[in-house]
């Protein structure tokens, strides 16, 4: 089975999107719509939990939002004026239903449902200790660690237990939790993964991205701040900042690739930032050519920026079919290769005899870039120059993004000339790390206090990687399996 987007098989993948509604008559259908707008953040499974004032109701299933929540009988079960939901992308290991979120547990304080975007980088270490103390885990998701930490906390109130739990976890977490006492939304102290708040009439909405607010007709109020916990209940809204103040480092890759271009992330239009990255790339790495051509779809805004800055015409040299679905069965390698052409084809009449600049957002393994460059040559391009709207991806992400191991990252094993040779490009250039920061409105990267998490480019991780650093290699493998399923 191919994924939605053959060109995206060689991309880093955001693993989750979350959405929550408090105080709307039709909370669950709104959550379904919001999750649909976040589908790009995870396509393997989706779930919604609602609360009707007395009972929690959950529907979770493998598959996409449209297929899981298109039936009246399903939606009729999800009653109540509060609901939260989750889309997830599972990479390796088990994609079992028991890992599909929201996760739910009956605690001493009542029901507790949680939807999590991110990854807890000390989950295996914490889980071992919890299991030693008698906790019985129902899933292999790192998120369940939070539930057990809340359940076993010795603090008295649910909120204090929740804060106590979060103070023990490391890594990235944007959370939407539903309890009988209200909805709790929070972002880790570094704000690695995004979370925004909106309003729809009197209802409060939380979402991974602003595009999901747009889709349900909600107004964008503000980003949930790094380290902030917001509680909404029948008594109104409260904001707490219980963590020691620290220097925020949101994920820079949200701007480059993960977020939809029509979203606002950390106050910046994703589309505008991607265009600015393309323009900066044109300044840093000019080359003579007839056309600038985007690798669809994620390379498009950067290609527009590159073309506008360089004065070289922007053209569509790769045409995407919108009618190849994700359930298209591909039985063998030979046919799998044809899948790329089913979804994307070279615009031969445009390209033949021309020098072209291909613009893409990133190179991970390099396998797709190799195919695209070959596709352009087969269509008659005389020169193919590749420009990449991010620095070389040399390191793995441990914060809720699926990355191959370093051994499989092309940039971890080749210099730029070696990468160009591998993908058979006439030239290859990446935006510089300072150039990327410049496109985000910064003067340059502050090496003492970096403004963003950029660890997959620099290896400068903003948190301890306890499981990675402290566990034996065989346990780290199990960590990988546990963190992504
Ligand atoms: S390592 Fe890369 S993908 Fe992961 S959070 Fe940091 S910038 Fe984002």
């Amino acid at each position: 089975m191919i994924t939605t987007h053959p060109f995206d098989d060689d991309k880093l993948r955001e693993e989750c999107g979350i959405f929550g509604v408090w105080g709307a008559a039709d909370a669950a259908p709104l959550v379904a719509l919001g999750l649909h707008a976040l589908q790009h953040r995870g396509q393997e499974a989706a779930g919604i939990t609602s609360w009707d004032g007395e009972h929690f109701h959950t529907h979770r299933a493998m598959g996409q939002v449209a297929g899981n929540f298109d039936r009246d009988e399903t939606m009729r079960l999800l009653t109540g004026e509060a609901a939260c939901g989750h889309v997830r992308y599972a990479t390796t290991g088990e994609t079992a239903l028991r890992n599909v979120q929201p996760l739910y547990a009956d605690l001493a304080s009542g029901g507790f449902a949680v939807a999590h975007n991110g990854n807890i980088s000390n989950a295996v270490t914490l889980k071992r200790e919890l299991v030693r103390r008698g906790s019985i885990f129902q899933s292999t998701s790192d998120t369940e660690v939070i539930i057990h930490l809340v359940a076993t906390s010795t603090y008295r109130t649910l909120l204090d237990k929740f804060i106590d739990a979060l103070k023990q976890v490391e890594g990235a977490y944007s959370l939407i939790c539903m309890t009988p006492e209200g909805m709790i939304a929070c972002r880790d102290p570094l704000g690695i993964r995004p979370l925004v708040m909106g309003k729809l009439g009197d209802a409060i909405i939380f979402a991974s991205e602003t595009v999901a607010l747009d889709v349900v007709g909600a107004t964008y109020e503000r980003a949930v701040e790094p380290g902030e916990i917001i509680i909404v209940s029948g008594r109104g809204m409260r904001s707490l900042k219980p963590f020691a103040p620290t220097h925020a480092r949101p994920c820079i890759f949200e701007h480059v690739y993960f977020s939809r271009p029509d979203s606002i992330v950390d106050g910046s239009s994703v589309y505008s930032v991607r265009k600015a990255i393309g323009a900066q790339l044109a300044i840093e790495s000019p080359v003579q050519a007839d056309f600038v051509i985007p690798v669809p779809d994620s390379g498009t805004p950067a290609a527009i920026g590159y073309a506008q800055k360089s004065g070289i015409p922007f053209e569509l040299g790769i045409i995407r079919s919108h009618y190849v679905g994700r359930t298209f069965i591909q039985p063998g390698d030979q046919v799998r290769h044809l899948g790329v052409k089913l979804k994307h084809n070279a615009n031969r009449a445009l390209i033949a005899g021309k020098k072209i600049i291909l613009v893409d957002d990133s190179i991970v393994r390099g396998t797709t870039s190799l195919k695209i460059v070959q596709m352009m040559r087969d269509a008659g391009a005389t020169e193919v120059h590749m420009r990449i709207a991010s620095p070389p991806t040399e390191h793995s992400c441990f914060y809720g993004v699926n990355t191959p191991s370093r051994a499989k990252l092309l940039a971890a094993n080749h210099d730029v000339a070696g990468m160009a040779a591998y993908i058979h490009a006439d030239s290859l250039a990446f935006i510089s790390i300072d150039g990327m920061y410049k496109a985000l409105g910064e003067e340059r990267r502050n090496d003492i206090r970096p403004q963003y998490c950029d660890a997959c480019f620099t290896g400068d991780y903003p948190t301890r990687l306890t499981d990675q650093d402290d566990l034996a290699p065989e346990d780290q493998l199990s960590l990988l399996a546990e963190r992504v399923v």
Side-chain angles (χ1 to χ4, degrees), residues 12-14 172 192-193 249-254 258 393 395-403 436 452-462:
L12 300 189
R13 283 180 184 276
E14 176 68 62
I192 296 175
R193 301 257 72 85
R249 288 185 65 183
C251 169
I252 205 163
F253 226 124
E254 291 284 346
F258 301 138
T393 306
H395 303 270
S396 299
C397 175
F398 298 95
Y399 303 124
V401 170
N402 171 244
T403 15
M436 185 169 58
Y452 290 91
C453 175
D454 52 19
C456 46
F457 309 121
T458 61
D460 179 1
Y461 293 94

Side-chain angles (χ1 to χ4, degrees), residues 351-418:
I351 289 169
K354 302 293 188 213
K355 300 174 187 172
I356 62 166
I357 302 168
L358 285 174
V359 180
D360 203 354
D361 56 86
S362 58
I363 292 181
V364 181
R365 294 181 191 81
T367 47
T368 298
S369 304
L370 175 63
K371 283 182 201 159
I372 298 169
V373 171
Q374 191 57 48
M375 186 190 284
M376 298 295 100
R377 292 202 190 282
D378 291 346
T382 55
E383 289 180 22
V384 182
H385 302 276
M386 194 80 157
R387 295 293 178 268
I388 304 296
S390 60
T393 306
E394 292 184 38
H395 303 270
S396 299
C397 175
F398 298 95
Y399 303 124
V401 170
N402 171 244
T403 15
S405 64
R406 282 204 80 197
K408 292 186 177 150
L409 292 172
L410 191 65
N413 300 293
H414 297 78
D415 60 12
V416 174

Side-chain angles (χ1 to χ4, degrees), residues 22 53 70 88 109 117 213 231 238 309 364 446 464 468:
W22 178 270
D70 61 345
R88 77 189 281 267
S109 53
N117 177 202
L213 301 179
I231 307 110
R238 273 195 298 159
K309 191 59 163 184
V364 181
N446 181 335
R464 258 182 64 71
Q468 184 71 12

Side-chain angles (χ1 to χ4, degrees), residues 21-286:
V21 174
W22 178 270
D26 265 338
L30 286 172
V31 172
L33 288 171
L35 292 180
H36 195 270
L38 299 173
Q39 189 78 82
H40 59 287
R41 299 180 75 88
Q43 294 108 43
E44 303 295 328
I48 296 176
T49 298
S50 70
W51 186 61
D52 64 11
E54 280 187 34
H55 299 106
F56 288 83
H57 310 277
T58 295
H59 180 74
R60 305 180 300 161
M62 305 305 294
Q64 297 189 12
V65 177
N68 289 348
F69 297 102
D70 61 345
R71 297 216 307 276
D72 279 352
E73 38 300 12
T74 305
M75 299 313 294
R76 269 201 301 270
L77 293 174
L78 297 170
T79 53
E81 297 188 355
C84 65
H86 188 271
V87 287
R88 77 189 281 267
Y89 169 69
T91 50
T92 62
E94 191 183 3
T95 53
L97 192 56
R98 64 196 173 119
N99 289 318
V100 178
Q101 298 190 24
L103 297 184
Y104 176 84
D106 279 311
L107 306 183
S109 53
F112 185 86
V114 56
H116 172 204
N117 177 202
N119 187 68
I120 295 167
S121 56
N122 62 340
V124 176
T125 306
L126 288 170
K127 183 175 175 178
R128 284 185 172 178
E129 178 57 21
L130 284 160
V131 169
R132 199 186 60 73
R133 286 176 3 213
S135 292
I136 298 170
F137 278 72
Q138 305 289 322
S139 75
T140 54
S141 159
D142 60 318
T143 308
E144 196 182 346
V145 167
I146 295 174
I147 292 178
H148 285 278
L149 289 173
V150 173
T152 55
S153 170
T154 53
Y155 280 83
R156 202 174 56 79
T157 68
L158 175 64
L159 191 55
D160 284 341
K161 288 173 188 284
F162 184 64
I163 292 168
D164 180 39
L166 295 186
K167 285 186 172 174
Q168 297 173 64
V169 303
E170 297 168 356
Y173 54 85
S174 285
L175 301 171
I176 300 175
C177 307
M178 227 165 39
T179 79
E181 294 176 27
M183 180 168 278
I184 307 172
C186 74
R187 212 169 156 200
D188 67 74
L190 294 161
I192 296 175
R193 301 257 72 85
L195 189 63
V196 296
M197 183 171 68
K199 268 189 139 183
L200 181 63
D202 292 333
I204 301 292
I205 317 273
F206 296 103
S208 293
E209 290 182 39
T210 59
V211 65
L213 301 179
D214 296 342
V215 162
V216 300
T219 53
Y220 170 59
E221 292 292 306
R222 65 179 178 88
V224 176
E225 291 178 25
E228 182 179 19
I229 296 178
I230 298 176
I231 307 110
V232 280
S233 69
R235 283 166 291 167
M237 185 160 68
R238 273 195 298 159
S239 164
L240 304 174
K241 288 207 167 166
F243 307 107
T246 186
H247 178 68
R249 288 185 65 183
C251 169
I252 205 163
F253 226 124
E254 291 284 346
H255 297 273
V256 173
Y257 176 65
F258 301 138
S259 293
R260 262 179 50 165
D262 43 345
S263 278
I264 307 289
V265 174
D266 300 318
S268 303
S269 149
V270 174
Y271 181 77
S272 301
V273 168
R274 286 182 192 165
K275 268 179 68 180
I277 289 175
Q280 181 66 26
L281 195 49
I283 295 168
E284 293 182 4
S285 301

